[in-house]
């Protein structure tokens, strides 16, 4: 597609991959909005997680009481709020998982389509030699031994993570920071996949 | 002595604003105002987007010059983290303990920015030089 528009560019297929990734991201977020984000269950769960995490933060940063009995009761309160937060996070994950099957199907179909279009073809050139473990994906299905040839799968992975994550963030669909599993490296919300 | 700002009263103010339903629109002048108060989520979001902009600019530059080699990924990480640290510690002068420590602030948007940087770098390099 991009090859027809930009015949002089050797790696114009990379633009096709990015374009399809952008469209897929928009479609997936639209489906997620219809099935998940606009529902009252999701809104109430998100609101309770936000409130619980803010409450927990306030309780933890308040000055430490000197009396042991007051300290014990404060610790119990913190434990209660933490338990409530974990339960709400679990419920949220479960809720999104059930509705995310449709989005997963869309992604599967799109990946299959891209695979059929670009199998065995280098869609881009890497400006670095990736680690061996990364080459399993970046050189997937490609002929030859040049480690800087980039397969569709690797480029699609980069597109998916960067474009979808930022789109979710921009639209306000990212999981709340207080939710369990936000982790060191937050990925695009997997329950929307 | 380095000034430190507590976010505790500002967090309570923000919470009160939310409860009242009055949200003030984001003003970009706050980005350079050391007296502005920051909610944890707001600061996290700002740091996330700063990382993405830095990733975009570095990817465009690295791909256009072009800069080749894995070492430039390390340099990007150093530049990106340095900018984030400089922003929250020196410009905003926030007390990082109020926001979860240096680790929490530095890891906002880190992984996504690495992916975005690689994507832009690879695209610009492939399209501009072949």
């Amino acid at each position: 597609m991009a090859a027809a528009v930009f015949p002089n560019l050797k790696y114009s297929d990379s633009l096709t991959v990015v374009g399809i990734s952008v469209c897929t991201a928009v479609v997936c977020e639209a489906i997620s909005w219809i099935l998940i984000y606009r529902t009252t269950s999701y809104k109430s769960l998100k609101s309770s997680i936000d409130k619980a995490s803010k409450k927990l933060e306030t309780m933890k940063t308040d000055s430490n009481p000197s009396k042991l009995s007051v300290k014990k009761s404060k610790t119990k309160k913190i434990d209660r709020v933490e338990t409530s937060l974990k339960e709400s996070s679990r419920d949220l994950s479960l809720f999104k998982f059930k509705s995310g099957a449709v989005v997963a199907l869309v992604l599967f179909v799109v990946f299959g389509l891209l695979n059929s279009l670009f199998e065995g073809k280098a869609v881009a050139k890497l400006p670095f030699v990736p680690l061996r473990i990364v080459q399993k994906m970046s050189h997937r299905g490609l002929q030859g031994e040049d480690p800087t040839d980039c397969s569709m799968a690797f480029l699609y992975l980069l597109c998916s993570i960067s474009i979808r994550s930022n789109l979710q963030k921009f639209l306000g669909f990212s999981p709340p920071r207080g939710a369990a599993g936000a982790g060191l490296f937050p990925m695009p919300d997997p329950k929307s996949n | 002595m380095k000034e430190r700002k507590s976010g505790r009263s500002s967090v309570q103010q923000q919470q009160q604003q939310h409860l009242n339903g009055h949200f003030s629109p984001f003003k970009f002048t706050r980005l350079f105002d050391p007296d502005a108060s920051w909610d944890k989520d707001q600061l996290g979001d700002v740091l996330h987007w700063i990382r993405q902009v830095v990733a975009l600019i570095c990817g465009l530059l690295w791909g256009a010059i072009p800069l080749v080699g894995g070492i430039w990924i390390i340099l990007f990480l150093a530049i990106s983290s340095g900018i984030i640290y400089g922003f929250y510690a020196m410009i905003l002068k926030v007390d990082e303990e109020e926001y979860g420590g240096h680790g929490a602030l530095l890891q906002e948007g880190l992984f996504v920015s690495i992916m975005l940087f690689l994507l832009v770098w690879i695209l610009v390099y492939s399209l501009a030089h072949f």
Side-chain angles (χ1 to χ4, degrees), chain B residues 9-128:
Chain B
S9 58
S10 64
V11 169
Q12 287 169 352
Q13 276 174 13
Q14 293 284 344
Q15 285 173 345
Q16 191 58 43
Q17 273 186 329
H18 284 218
L19 288 171
N20 290 340
H22 297 296
F23 293 91
S24 54
F26 184 78
K27 291 179 180 144
F28 285 95
T29 49
R30 290 182 70 208
L31 290 176
F32 304 101
D33 182 6
D35 295 325
S37 59
W38 290 92
D39 179 60
K40 189 177 181 181
D41 284 342
Q42 275 188 327
L43 182 60
D45 289 347
V46 165
L47 296 181
H48 171 97
W49 289 115
I50 290 174
R51 277 230 191 241
Q52 307 316 303
V53 169
V54 172
L56 194 65
I57 293 171
C58 285
L60 287 169
L61 276 175
W62 275 217
I65 292 172
L67 297 174
V68 178
I71 191 74
W72 298 107
I73 301 173
I74 310 294
L75 195 72
F76 157 71
L77 285 172
I79 290 173
S80 174
S81 299
I83 288 173
I84 292 294
Y85 175 78
F87 177 71
Y88 75 73
M90 293 172 195
I91 295 177
L92 293 186
K93 295 191 175 70
V94 298
D95 180 5
E96 66 277 356
E97 294 306 320
E98 296 286 335
Y99 299 93
H102 287 295
L105 292 174
L106 286 171
Q107 64 94 16
E108 282 290 343
L110 176 62
F111 183 71
V112 179
S113 72
I114 294 170
M115 296 295 112
L116 181 63
F117 160 73
L118 288 176
L119 176 67
V120 176
W121 187 23
I122 291 168
L123 278 178
V124 174
Y125 176 69
S126 303
L127 295 171

Side-chain angles (χ1 to χ4, degrees), chain A residues 115-133:
Chain A
N115 209 35
S116 65
L117 285 173
F118 301 114
E119 193 173 7
K121 198 175 175 190
V123 297
K125 196 76 171 163
L126 300 177
F128 58 92
V129 175
L131 300 172
R132 279 261 177 222
I133 193 166

Side-chain angles (χ1 to χ4, degrees), chain A residues 73-108:
Chain A
S73 120
K74 195 171 155 57
T75 308
K76 273 187 183 173
K77 277 184 186 171
I78 289 175
D79 286 343
R80 261 206 307 274
V81 173
E82 273 180 345
T83 306
S84 159
L85 181 61
K86 280 179 189 165
E87 280 172 7
S88 299
S89 300
R90 197 182 55 232
D91 291 342
L92 184 71
S93 293
L94 196 61
F95 177 73
K96 290 164 89 175
F97 182 79
K98 286 190 279 189
S99 306
V102 176
V103 174
L105 184 65
V106 169
L107 289 172
F108 184 75

Side-chain angles (χ1 to χ4, degrees), chain A residues 102-176:
Chain A
V102 176
V103 174
L105 184 65
V106 169
L107 289 172
F108 184 75
V109 167
V110 169
F111 185 79
L113 168 74
L114 285 172
N115 209 35
S116 65
L117 285 173
F118 301 114
E119 193 173 7
K121 198 175 175 190
V123 297
K125 196 76 171 163
L126 300 177
F128 58 92
V129 175
L131 300 172
R132 279 261 177 222
I133 193 166
V134 176
Q135 283 182 36
K136 289 189 190 312
M137 173 155 283
S138 68
H139 209 264
R140 185 173 171 271
L142 297 181
Q143 307 295 323
E145 297 298 322
D146 185 356
T148 60
D149 283 336
C150 180
S151 69
M152 177 282 301
F154 186 64
L155 196 67
Y156 184 64
L157 176 74
L158 293 178
C159 289
S160 291
I161 295 173
S162 55
I163 295 171
R164 285 195 65 217
S165 291
N166 283 316
L167 186 63
Q168 282 179 354
K169 191 84 175 175
F170 182 72
L171 296 173
F173 295 159
S174 295

